[in-house]
Amino acid sequence: MKGFVVSLLGLWLVPLVALAQQPADLNTITAISVSGGTVEITGSKKPDFNSFTMTDPPRLVIDVSGAAFQGVAEEQPVGNGTVTGIRTATYGTESASIARILIGYEREVETDIQSSGNKLVVKVLGGGGTAVAQATPTEGQGTAQGATAANTPAGTSAQDAARAAASDRESQEKAVKAAADAARAEREAQEKAAAEATARAKADSDAEAKRQEDARLAAQRQDEERRKSEEAAVAERKRQEAEAQAATKRAEDERRATAQAAADQKRQKEEEAKTAAEEKRAAAQAAADEKRAAAQAAAEERQSAAKTAAEKKRAAAQTAAEQKRLKEEERRAAAQARREEQQSARESAAEEKRQQAAEARERRQQAVAARESRARPSQGSAAAEPRESGGGAVSSRRKTMTLVGFQQQADSSRVFVRTNEPVRYQVSTTGNQVVLELENTRVVESNNTLPLDTHFFPSAVSRVEAFSGAGNSVRVVIQLKQGVRYETRQDGGLITLDFPRPGR
């Protein structure tokens, strides 16, 4: 049985060598099924295969040449008491691909591999040995026939007895000769049979020796092929392990890159959320500042109104006191006038003439200034022309600035100055600074000289400050964030300067 298996393995090695020279018309293995101890391998064409066994644990390896797997798992656990599992692998080049099927068994078994069309059927044999029928040759036996002694009847003669004895002796000699011939013929037949048996035995021995040598050579070729297959499998396994390590490294690098990208995206989102929160806080702060500024402006407006009312009361009281003082001075002046009547008359006449001339001149200038003020707003420039007050004649009495303030309008910011009566004024611009100068005016309340800080408002105006200037004048200095066009108007004792919002 072992000699038959060895010779069969030797026959399997021949297709494997020829397969390496075939074109890459691959046999596609699509299914491997297990039923008990039978494994069925289905391909797209008739398989060309080679097989060998391995031990510890028991395994059967089948290499199908010019084949590849499609839809077949690399590992298929079974565990049905006979087959433990099936593993598959493909190696070789595309033009010489080899599909390997490794079948694991629970114990050492004998298998039978049959090819049926496009299928390979691997069965586990039930018995361990094969019965051998022995044929025993039958030898022909020669039987010596002895002469039967004739009973001589009693009363015969001696002659008859002698003839009978001679005849009996002749018969015995013939029988002996026949027995000797038969024995010689038997011996010759036996010698011939022995020679033929010796020749057959020698021929069988030579044939068996040849078969054993062929089997040994086939086994040696199989061992060499198995060694090469194992070396190829080891090399393929190393290559696959190297590829797996490279793939694992690439996957790890990709995972790190993905994690880094996710971390960067998360950090960017956090920064965007932080920026949005800061912008929201800034917007809320700006809204709060604007609301606070509006409240402050309203409070200042109320305070300004209250101050204006108080100033009006003080001005009325001051006017009354001034009138009383004037009356007293007039009485004293009348007394003095009587003493110096002539001189006073001349001076009064001259003064009246000068006054009338000054008033006429002032009325003409006021009319011109009023027309120019209404016709076009004042334009900020490096050197603005002075502008006189409008709204009628301006008295020669010294005026009082009662209030300076700041107010936010719908589309502009307003700086306003209030006096107890119309005044003559001049507006000039130098860089980002606008100066409003009130002639023949004084500041009575010290609060009116405190600076107004307006830089936190959405306005072109940054700061407003009033102080006493040279020659009995009051200077209101308006500091701008940037140079813009502005408009100046006077309405009675109120002078306004409107500055448009930046960007308008």
Side-chain angles (χ1 to χ4, degrees), residues 206-242:
D206 293 342
E208 180 64 22
K210 188 175 185 306
R211 281 196 302 274
Q212 290 180 358
E213 181 65 19
D214 293 341
R216 186 185 65 78
L217 294 176
Q220 184 177 358
R221 287 194 299 272
Q222 182 187 16
D223 291 340
E224 182 67 19
E225 183 65 25
R226 183 169 61 249
R227 183 182 62 79
K228 291 181 178 179
S229 300
E230 289 177 353
E231 290 177 354
V234 170
E236 179 64 19
R237 186 170 63 253
K238 289 182 179 179
R239 185 187 65 79
Q240 291 178 355
E241 289 176 354

Side-chain angles (χ1 to χ4, degrees), residues 149-303:
N151 295 325
T152 303
T156 59
S157 60
Q159 187 178 2
D160 292 334
R163 282 196 301 273
S167 178
D168 186 44
R169 187 171 58 251
E170 186 177 353
S171 298
Q172 288 180 354
E173 289 176 355
K174 288 181 179 180
V176 170
K177 184 179 179 181
D181 292 338
R184 186 173 59 254
E186 179 67 20
R187 186 172 60 255
E188 290 176 355
Q190 288 178 353
E191 289 176 355
K192 184 178 180 180
E196 292 177 354
T198 301
R200 285 196 302 273
K202 187 175 185 305
D204 292 342
S205 176
D206 293 342
E208 180 64 22
K210 188 175 185 306
R211 281 196 302 274
Q212 290 180 358
E213 181 65 19
D214 293 341
R216 186 185 65 78
L217 294 176
Q220 184 177 358
R221 287 194 299 272
Q222 182 187 16
D223 291 340
E224 182 67 19
E225 183 65 25
R226 183 169 61 249
R227 183 182 62 79
K228 291 181 178 179
S229 300
E230 289 177 353
E231 290 177 354
V234 170
E236 179 64 19
R237 186 170 63 253
K238 289 182 179 179
R239 185 187 65 79
Q240 291 178 355
E241 289 176 354
E243 291 180 353
Q245 291 176 357
T248 303
K249 187 176 183 302
R250 286 194 300 271
E252 182 65 19
D253 293 341
E254 291 177 357
R255 185 189 65 78
R256 288 201 187 98
T258 303
Q260 182 65 30
D264 294 341
Q265 186 175 7
K266 182 179 179 182
R267 184 168 59 254
Q268 184 178 1
K269 288 183 178 179
E270 291 177 352
E271 291 176 354
E272 290 176 355
K274 183 178 179 181
T275 303
E278 291 177 353
E279 290 178 353
K280 186 177 180 181
R281 284 197 299 271
Q285 182 66 30
D289 292 342
E290 187 173 356
K291 185 177 180 181
R292 186 165 55 250
Q296 182 179 357
E300 290 178 351
E301 183 67 22
R302 289 193 298 271
Q303 183 181 4

Side-chain angles (χ1 to χ4, degrees), residues 316-385:
Q318 185 177 4
T319 302
E322 185 69 19
Q323 289 176 355
K324 184 178 179 181
R325 186 181 60 79
L326 289 174
K327 288 180 180 179
E328 181 68 26
E329 289 179 353
E330 286 176 358
R331 286 194 297 268
R332 286 197 299 269
Q336 186 177 0
R338 284 191 298 268
R339 289 192 299 268
E340 300 176 356
E341 182 175 356
Q342 186 178 1
Q343 183 178 355
S344 177
R346 288 195 301 268
E347 289 178 357
S348 296
E351 180 64 25
E352 186 176 357
K353 290 179 181 180
R354 285 194 302 273
Q355 182 69 26
Q356 288 174 355
E359 288 178 356
R361 187 172 58 256
E362 289 172 354
R363 281 194 297 270
R364 288 194 301 273
Q365 292 176 352
Q366 285 177 350
V368 173
R371 285 195 301 271
E372 291 179 353
S373 176
R374 286 191 297 270
R376 58 183 178 85
S378 299
Q379 306 295 322
S381 61
E385 294 181 357

